[in-house]
Amino acid sequence: MHRLPSFPSPITTPTGARGRTISALICAVAVGTATACTPSQGAVAPASADAGTSRATPGAGGTANTAGTTGAPGIGDPDFPSDGNGGYDVQHYGLRLSYDPSTRKLAGSATIRAKAVQDLTSFDLDLHGLTVSRVTVDGAAASFSRSRDELVIEPARRVSDGDAFEVTVDYSGVPEPMRDSANLGRYGFISTPDGAFVTCEPNGAKTWFPSNDHPSDKATYDFQITVPEGLTAIANGEMDGTPQTKAGKTTFVWREKHPMASYLATMTTGKFQVRTGTSGKGLPIYAAVADSFRGSLDKLFAETGKITDYWSSVFGPYPFSSTGGVIDDYAAGYALENQTKPIYGGFSPEPAIIAHELAHQWFGDSVSIARWRDLWLNEGFATYAEWLWAEHTGRYTAESAFQRYYANAADPMWAYPPGTARADDLFSAAVYNRGAMTLHALRREIGDQKFFPLIRAWTDAHRYGNVTTREFIALAERVSGKNLKELFDAWLFQPKRPAPVT
Ligand code: TRP
Ligand code: ZN
């Protein structure tokens, strides 16, 4: 027996995002805009985001000045034109940070190793607020200026195309979270009474470190975070050594050695109860909960290990070196799939939510989008994972979830084609639920014998890379041997409910 799922699914999106209805006015605009609805437009990436299978070409699109020597102020995402930057490709962020909750002051020194993809007499980093005191490029003082959320850097010597270079930025101030962009409320670095809750999707990394703040430029990270003694600082990857305490301050060192999108980075700090260990399959687990969630620590630890292990049998090998989860007491009401450690904002997550955030480790974190309009490749997959988890645990089938959504002809998601996520309504319920339905329609069409190998081929072919929707459609056609253009067109790109799946 399968119980029907309780809809809408529990909170994993910023408050209201999942349940919000799209206004008639916005729908009319979407329907009336031919480019938003045709499959060719929707599925074809701009040159900047579709070049190669592993990553976008930074700076090649939009506002890039590829002929000159000025790095573009945006990486070329058509819907977020000033996000990220052009002209270089970051390899590594070394972040030295110190945070004092009593003054809410952050002091940072970011060392960024990058490679130029054009000659550069100047280039940008993204940084929101904060005061920059010094910038060096390859050790030499550089001049810099601020313009909105761009830190414009002029190195003393021109950087040549192809050169590796190193930028150090010293900065400090009281971080200000982002507000209202993409209908999200507050996100980024959010101070709390005892620390900070740091969840940055889509472009809030710049609220706490200078970055190429776009998922198409992934990099490895080291974090050295100093907080008042008694607090815990949590970042991505694994802890290096034991925290060192000196003069009332404790320094935590974390390293993420796999490529990571900037929005997945965190430095969540506060009073935490921590449990570490390994999953059944031997993967290290780091679980932490704010004191008020003390009673949820063991459950978070156990479910995280169990679900990570299960997904590795469904989606392919776990892509990172540890798994985990953090429950902070900041009542965000949503969770974010921070790499290696999803963060749950003020609630004890039920298994379906843990299953969603851990599925993102494959879909979003390891296999990352190159432009935000392809967000269904993250959220549709993670939502479908909730259905697969329900199916695995016998609560309900993916088919029953699909049918229940399909039955509601008045659902506003039919007016919102999820293959083109909209900048002003990025985390729409359509991207989540109609995105998940797209995968179920595909599974019905090609059968489990092709569907699950396709999913594993997808995570394998694009591990640690960047993708577009067009690449998923191509792989689905290759693995299944079927022409699937009509199916994907109807489910992803048409502003109306597709014909029933037979
Ligand atoms: N990706 C998150 C999820 O589906 C939701 C989310 C979007 C979010 N933007 C965010 C969470 C910003 C925290 C902060 O699980
Ligand atoms: Zn999600």
Side-chain angles (χ1 to χ4, degrees):
M1 266 308 288
H2 298 294
R3 268 183 285 130
L4 280 176
S6 52
F7 293 156
S9 302
I11 37 179
T12 59
T13 58
T15 314
R18 191 176 273 197
R20 194 176 52 244
T21 54
I22 302 159
S23 79
L25 180 68
I26 292 169
C27 286
V29 171
V31 172
T33 306
T35 53
C37 308
T38 58
S40 57
Q41 293 284 344
V44 175
S48 64
D50 207 30
T53 54
S54 59
R55 67 172 43 200
T57 306
T63 47
N65 174 9
T66 43
T69 59
T70 304
I75 204 166
D77 188 320
D79 306 303
F80 292 83
S82 58
D83 283 10
N85 306 284
Y88 63 91
D89 184 1
V90 177
Q91 257 81 62
H92 182 79
Y93 292 93
L95 304 178
R96 268 201 295 141
L97 302 148
S98 131
Y99 186 62
D100 182 351
S102 69
T103 59
R104 301 197 294 136
K105 225 181 138 184
L106 176 73
S109 178
T111 297
I112 300 164
R113 283 205 316 266
K115 196 178 150 194
V117 299
Q118 67 176 71
D119 288 349
L120 290 171
T121 52
S122 91
F123 60 89
D124 289 9
L125 286 164
D126 300 313
L127 186 64
H128 178 77
L130 303 165
T131 302
V132 175
S133 54
R134 180 176 159 83
V135 178
T136 65
V137 176
D138 290 332
S143 57
F144 60 91
S145 59
R146 306 292 300 273
S147 159
R148 298 228 180 89
D149 285 355
E150 305 288 334
L151 167 63
V152 182
I153 298 172
E154 264 185 70
R157 291 190 43 215
R158 155 197 304 242
V159 178
S160 299
D161 188 7
D163 278 4
F165 63 106
E166 191 174 273
V167 188
T168 298
V169 179
D170 295 336
Y171 62 101
S172 65
V174 175
E176 279 293 334
M178 304 294 290
R179 278 170 213 276
D180 284 337
S181 162
N183 265 344
L184 283 168
R186 294 207 305 166
Y187 62 97
F189 189 108
I190 297 172
S191 60
T192 62
D194 65 346
F197 175 83
V198 183
T199 54
C200 299
E201 191 179 20
N203 52 14
K206 65 182 175 207
T207 64
W208 60 285
F209 66 100
S211 48
N212 200 18
D213 196 6
H214 191 274
S216 62
D217 189 2
K218 303 208 287 183
T220 56
Y221 286 71
D222 290 337
F223 306 85
Q224 184 189 305
I225 307 169
T226 302
V227 289
E229 184 175 3
L231 302 187
T232 301
I234 302 168
N236 312 85
E238 295 77 49
M239 217 191 284
D240 188 338
T242 46
Q244 300 293 312
T245 300
K246 208 168 58 207
K249 288 172 186 287
T250 306
T251 298
F252 295 76
V253 176
W254 291 90
R255 297 187 199 284
E256 174 50 60
K257 60 179 190 263
H258 302 288
M260 178 164 77
S262 53
Y263 76 88
L264 298 169
T266 191
M267 59 164 292
T268 291
T269 55
K271 276 208 155 111
F272 285 100
Q273 304 287 323
V274 177
R275 182 172 166 192
T276 59
T278 52
S279 74
K281 288 190 177 176
L283 187 68
I285 304 171
Y286 180 97
V289 299
D291 280 342
S292 52
F293 289 92
R294 178 188 294 272
S296 299
L297 179 59
D298 289 342
K299 201 180 78 181
L300 176 68
F301 178 91
E303 294 288 342
T304 294
K306 196 170 78 181
I307 296 172
T308 306
D309 282 351
Y310 178 64
W311 285 153
S312 71
S313 73
V314 177
F315 302 145
Y318 183 70
F320 308 123
S321 298
S322 63
T323 186
V326 178
I327 306 177
D328 201 351
D329 55 7
Y330 173 75
Y334 53 66
L336 184 66
E337 61 268 23
N338 300 74
Q339 190 154 311
T340 68
K341 285 173 199 69
I343 300 182
Y344 306 93
F347 63 98
S348 181
E350 56 177 283
I353 302 297
I354 300 175
H356 178 112
E357 305 307 335
L358 290 175
H360 273 308
Q361 302 303 309
W362 284 260
F363 309 108
D365 296 9
S366 171
V367 179
S368 301
I369 52 179
R371 47 180 194 165
W372 286 107
R373 66 172 61 169
D374 289 333
L375 186 64
W376 84 279
L377 291 170
N378 294 3
E379 300 305 346
F381 281 61
T383 303
Y384 197 61
E386 292 180 46
W387 302 1
L388 291 175
W389 181 253
E391 202 160 275
H392 173 65
T393 54
R395 279 178 56 231
Y396 60 84
T397 61
E399 174 69 13
S400 71
F402 177 93
Q403 291 302 345
R404 182 152 167 183
Y405 278 115
Y406 190 83
N408 183 7
D411 193 316
M413 73 176 161
W414 303 125
Y416 186 132
T420 315
R422 302 160 47 107
D424 61 356
D425 192 12
L426 200 54
F427 298 93
S428 161
V431 173
Y432 285 72
N433 300 328
R434 192 169 156 185
M437 294 179 82
T438 302
L439 289 171
H440 191 69
L442 173 65
R443 179 180 170 193
R444 291 275 306 259
E445 177 67 24
I446 69 179
D448 286 10
Q449 276 65 32
K450 298 284 189 195
F451 180 79
F452 288 101
L454 163 64
I455 297 304
R456 287 189 287 270
W458 179 242
T459 62
D460 182 55
H462 300 289
R463 176 168 317 214
Y464 311 133
N466 288 96
V467 291
T468 60
T469 295
R470 194 171 68 175
E471 289 172 306
F472 182 70
I473 296 172
L475 187 66
E477 292 191 325
R478 190 152 8 108
V479 168
S480 68
K482 285 191 156 182
N483 181 336
L484 299 166
K485 284 179 188 64
E486 260 180 54
L487 181 148
F488 283 111
D489 177 43
W491 280 96
L492 293 176
F493 299 113
Q494 295 302 323
K496 59 173 198 271
R497 188 169 69 152
V501 175
T502 46

